[in-house]
Amino acid sequence: KVCFLYPTVSLMSHSCAANLEIVDSPARSVKFVAKRQIGKGDELTWSYTNFLLPRHNIQEKLSQTWLFDCQCLRCKDPAEFGLYYSSQKCVCGGYLSKTMEDRTMCDKCGKQVDSLTMLMEEQSMMKELSLSDTADLCALLQKLVAGQIVHPTHHIMVRLYMRLVESVARNNPDAAVLAAAVQHGPALLKVLDRLDGEEGKLLKKYRKMYSLVEFKDLVRRQEEGGLSQMEFQAKLEQLRENLL
């Protein structure tokens, strides 16, 4: 195993919504590229962890491995850029986003919930998602929506959206999975745009995958007589531009 030390890179700060990312695997040199607009005087940052993790998991990893409490823009914003990515939905319509030791409080009604109980609920949902086959994804989606604990931009829903989009882009699933991927793909891209940055590698990857999803749905609609040949060609040209 070969290890490389980068004295200059070691001075760069972490951010859970970084403006830089590594281009290739580190070697004798390491290359970064901007994935957000960077203004004059802005600090250059990169992420020490997986930004798709919920905030409490990221903060725990940073504290245990790097020995600091993150104070980046995402961590200081209870709403996480309006996504509430790490927060469950409260029955009142607010979000359980305010953490106080072992309790989490709703930002609207003030209701408090045991944080450990919430964590165990999410671990159970994530396990069910990881064990689900493609054919089970739509049923799981309906179950999560009916449960009203997680919301459209919650991290578990985002992971589910990723599975849906991947399944359609790489295979030929049934109509229900295709319809779910078409419906929820935009929410996935919205979350990745805010957390990963408008030029992030992950956003680019799923943007192309979603274009394939749209293409397969376009073909389905054309085969079923829902589009004229002219409409089909016009929409196809738009998708080609997105895939370039």
Side-chain angles (χ1 to χ4, degrees), residues 79 82-84 87-97 105-111 147-153:
L83 299 172
Y84 292 94
S87 305
Q88 292 185 14
K89 195 80 179 284
C90 181
V91 291
C92 75
Y95 295 89
L96 297 163
S97 59
M105 187 173 73
C106 174
D107 61 1
K108 185 176 181 181
C109 71
K111 175 184 176 180
Q148 298 183 338
I149 294 176
V150 295
H151 52 87
T153 55

Side-chain angles (χ1 to χ4, degrees), residues 14-16 58-59 62-63 68-73 75-76:
H14 160 85
S15 173
C16 300
I58 292 177
Q59 292 177 339
L62 291 174
S63 178
F68 71 88
D69 295 324
C70 186
Q71 296 295 319
C72 73
L73 291 176
C75 285
K76 290 193 295 185

